[in-house]
Amino acid sequence: MSEGADLVANSAAPLVADDENYDSGIDNPSLASSTQSLTESVLSHVYENGRRYHSKSVGRYFLPTDEQEQDRLDMYHHFMLELLGGKISLAPFDRDPGFVLDCGTGTGIWALDYAEQHPASVVYGIDMAPIQPSYVYPNVRFEIDDLELDWTFRDKFDLIYARLMSTGIKDWPRFFQQMYDFMNPGGYVELSEHDLNGVRSDDGTMPSDTAYNRYLTLLTKCMASNGLNPYLTLTDYTRMLTSAGFEITKTLEFKIPMGGWPKGKKAKYLGLLYAEMSKTGFDAYGKSLLVKEGGLTVEEADQLIRECVELLGERKQHVYYYKWHIVARKPE
Ligand SMILES: C[S@@+](CC[C@H](N)C(=O)[O-])C[C@H]1O[C@@H](n2cnc3c(N)ncnc32)[C@H](O)[C@@H]1O
């Protein structure tokens, strides 16, 4: 397996801590200015605790859609490209697929990149929040919709991509079934999700009450009480895809270091990128739910989020989480 090179955890190899160099061995130590948001929608929104949320998403999706969040999503796209060895997709087409769907397209950065690299494809990017740019390649269509409702697309797709949707999809079996029903035979679904069940360490440097897991335990409880399923595992996702009728063609499980603590250029770079994204990511995922549902005051939520962000900059806890990438095919 070449994707992801030294980070692929389908092997059980531990990530080794770099006790000497924290930032060295990477070409781009300054990560802070590495992305730019593509657009800022000024349509209907609400403000809460210093973050802007889209009003269409209130009660349905708990992450903000402000410029800070758009920057984080764009940086995440760069992170994924780094993780997958520069590949925008692992679906094995020998020519451009006809119709492509990006579920929960966010800033639309994946859809735009895919469309640029595959000029003969037509790429639809669907999201509940209108944070996509208005000037796009002629083969890109952005539409505002809720993917948990009945799909009404006129076309069937050859590739359906869904990345980071665990915060938005409540009924995964139905989501996968709609993918299957709107997929041409021989088409591919590509799913990218992460493990929210807890962070891990291989060398005993993580205390059992690490702030990361205090944060995750409360966050996932709040997500569950909102009808989401944050406890899904790689096996659950593959099982549900199979039940919908897909054949699994590839599963990748990566250990993502939280911070620049590991040895190895790629692992260290990804860890630093993760730390940079998470400076706003812990707040984006947690603030609204921890306060509204988790019983924390704003000050307590801020304190827990700050503890997590501070840990990212330290090298004491050698902590990682699992990220999954699954490719599945609708039989001919
Ligand atoms: C964490 S972001 C990920 C964005 C994008 N997939 C990426 O990887 O950069 C999740 C996105 O899904 C959208 N979303 C969540 N639930 C949705 C739903 N039921 N229908 C459509 N969009 C949804 C949110 O508005 C948000 O833009």
Side-chain angles (χ1 to χ4, degrees):
M1 230 166 264
S2 61
E3 299 89 4
D6 57 356
L7 263 193
V8 175
N10 286 354
S11 75
L15 289 173
V16 179
D18 184 353
D19 293 328
E20 285 155 18
N21 303 304
Y22 189 39
D23 289 346
S24 67
I26 56 170
D27 296 324
N28 181 9
S30 170
L31 302 173
S33 59
S34 64
T35 63
Q36 247 184 344
S37 69
L38 294 176
T39 187
E40 184 181 13
S41 168
V42 284
L43 300 174
S44 166
H45 44 249
V46 292
Y47 289 89
E48 230 180 64
N49 301 318
R51 301 301 303 259
R52 195 190 76 193
Y53 296 80
H54 200 269
S55 52
K56 261 183 191 280
S57 317
V58 171
R60 283 285 295 110
Y61 179 70
F62 55 89
L63 276 74
T65 51
D66 51 19
E67 192 144 353
Q68 230 181 48
E69 175 66 356
Q70 293 178 38
D71 283 350
R72 186 183 74 85
L73 292 177
D74 288 348
M75 195 185 295
Y76 185 78
H77 180 65
H78 171 65
F79 169 88
M80 282 304 296
L81 287 176
E82 287 290 322
L83 183 66
L84 299 181
K87 293 184 182 152
I88 185 136
S89 163
L90 303 185
F93 290 104
D94 46 24
R95 59 196 157 102
D96 291 354
F99 287 98
V100 177
L101 171 64
D102 181 21
C103 299
T105 193
T107 63
I109 192 165
W110 183 89
L112 289 164
D113 252 15
Y114 194 91
E116 188 185 16
Q117 291 177 32
H118 301 84
S121 302
V122 174
V123 184
Y124 285 81
I126 308 296
D127 204 287
M128 283 194 300
I131 54 169
Q132 302 75 39
S134 7
Y135 295 101
V136 298
Y137 303 117
N139 58 333
V140 175
R141 321 254 184 281
F142 288 129
E143 291 176 8
I144 302 306
D145 214 333
D146 182 345
L147 289 160
E148 293 237 276
L149 303 178
D150 285 343
W151 291 13
T152 54
F153 301 107
R154 265 178 320 207
D155 301 304
K156 290 211 171 179
F157 297 98
D158 301 290
L159 171 62
I160 301 183
Y161 188 82
R163 186 168 76 186
L164 290 186
M165 293 302 285
S166 58
T167 47
I169 298 300
K170 293 182 174 165
D171 190 345
W172 283 92
R174 179 163 184 251
F175 185 52
F176 290 144
Q177 200 57 60
Q178 300 218 68
M179 286 186 181
Y180 188 87
D181 294 344
F182 281 82
M183 177 84 79
N184 283 319
Y188 286 91
V189 54
E190 194 165 354
L191 184 75
S192 177
E193 285 301 330
H194 49 205
D195 183 6
L196 292 171
N197 291 292
V199 299
R200 294 149 210 273
S201 172
D202 290 334
D203 63 3
T205 53
M206 183 186 89
S208 57
D209 67 341
T210 179
Y212 292 137
N213 278 341
R214 280 189 278 124
Y215 170 94
L216 269 181
T217 305
L218 191 52
L219 177 72
T220 49
K221 214 171 111 195
C222 297
M223 285 173 70
S225 67
N226 265 307
L228 294 160
N229 188 345
Y231 306 116
L232 293 171
T233 62
L234 177 59
T235 313
D236 293 326
Y237 286 117
T238 53
R239 185 181 34 77
M240 288 188 289
L241 281 164
T242 308
S243 299
F246 291 105
E247 290 167 351
I248 307 295
T249 61
K250 192 183 285 261
T251 54
L252 297 173
E253 183 171 68
F254 299 96
K255 288 179 175 178
I256 306 298
M258 297 171 70
W261 58 263
K263 267 194 201 303
K265 185 173 168 174
K266 178 161 181 166
K268 190 185 292 288
Y269 182 57
L270 286 168
L272 287 171
L273 265 181
Y274 176 82
E276 191 60 38
M277 292 185 294
S278 301
K279 282 183 184 166
T280 62
F282 281 109
D283 184 276
Y285 271 81
K287 187 62 118 356
S288 163
L289 279 189
L290 296 183
V291 172
K292 281 191 185 153
E293 314 258 342
L296 300 192
T297 62
V298 174
E299 292 71 29
E300 286 166 342
D302 280 342
Q303 171 62 25
L304 182 55
I305 290 164
R306 200 162 39 243
E307 278 180 57
C308 292
V309 172
E310 280 168 10
L311 277 181
L312 291 168
E314 297 173 3
R315 51 193 311 195
K316 286 188 295 199
Q317 296 188 21
H318 303 153
V319 175
Y320 64 87
Y321 70 98
Y322 281 120
K323 164 154 278 309
W324 303 311
H325 203 92
I326 305 170
V327 183
R329 181 171 176 271
K330 177 168 177 170
E332 291 286 356

